[in-house]
Amino acid sequence: MTDKAKEVIERLGLSPLEGEGGYFRFLHEYGEGAGSIFYLITTSSFSHLHSLTDDELWFFLEGDEAEQTMVTKEGIIERVSLDACNRESLVKKDVFQATKIKNPILGYSLFATRMSP
């Protein structure tokens, strides 16, 4: 892990996200099942393939370009690049998704996400 990634994790008070990978901090709850987090991935701790029970909107904040892979129940695969030019992505509920750094330079990608039923 790079020194810059460690500095961002410490500055934002992020903790490892067990089961999914990456680092996170819960920010706000907006009602039952809705909330937002900071989420950071590194080259060694990325978002493993998983699905959620609610829609999740991702916002790229800083760091390296990341690639998000989404797989529908029907097996349709979509890949989205998240970076300074393409800052948001919507992952619909019950869609499997994984996110990793595309071309590591800084060694991390930082996002904010909002979940909503």
Side-chain angles (χ1 to χ4, degrees):
M1 181 183 310
T2 65
D3 289 342
K4 180 63 178 172
K6 291 177 187 175
E7 184 271 321
V8 174
I9 289 168
E10 184 176 314
R11 176 172 42 92
L12 296 177
L14 306 179
S15 300
L17 182 55
E18 300 300 324
E20 284 183 32
Y23 299 83
F24 84 110
R25 187 180 96 209
F26 185 75
L27 297 172
H28 302 286
E29 186 175 339
Y30 302 104
E32 191 173 320
S36 61
I37 64 170
F38 278 136
Y39 183 64
L40 181 139
I41 58 174
T42 67
T43 53
S44 61
S45 185
F46 50 90
S47 174
H48 299 275
L49 191 64
H50 67 286
S51 69
L52 298 175
T53 57
D54 298 315
D55 290 351
E56 184 174 47
L57 186 58
W58 286 57
F59 299 96
F60 177 85
L61 299 177
E62 65 179 71
D64 294 324
E65 178 183 8
E67 182 177 75
Q68 193 171 55
T69 301
M70 293 176 263
V71 183
T72 68
K73 291 179 186 178
E74 297 77 28
I76 297 169
I77 299 172
E78 178 184 4
R79 288 189 173 83
V80 175
S81 289
L82 293 164
D83 59 19
C85 295
N86 186 38
R87 291 195 176 266
E88 64 181 62
S89 172
L90 176 63
V91 180
K92 301 294 281 181
K93 72 177 186 175
D94 299 326
V95 170
F96 281 85
Q97 73 88 12
T99 305
K100 65 178 184 174
I101 293 175
K102 199 166 182 178
N103 295 309
I105 297 169
L106 300 171
Y108 76 97
S109 297
L110 176 66
F111 309 91
T113 73
R114 178 174 271 179
M115 293 72 62
S116 181

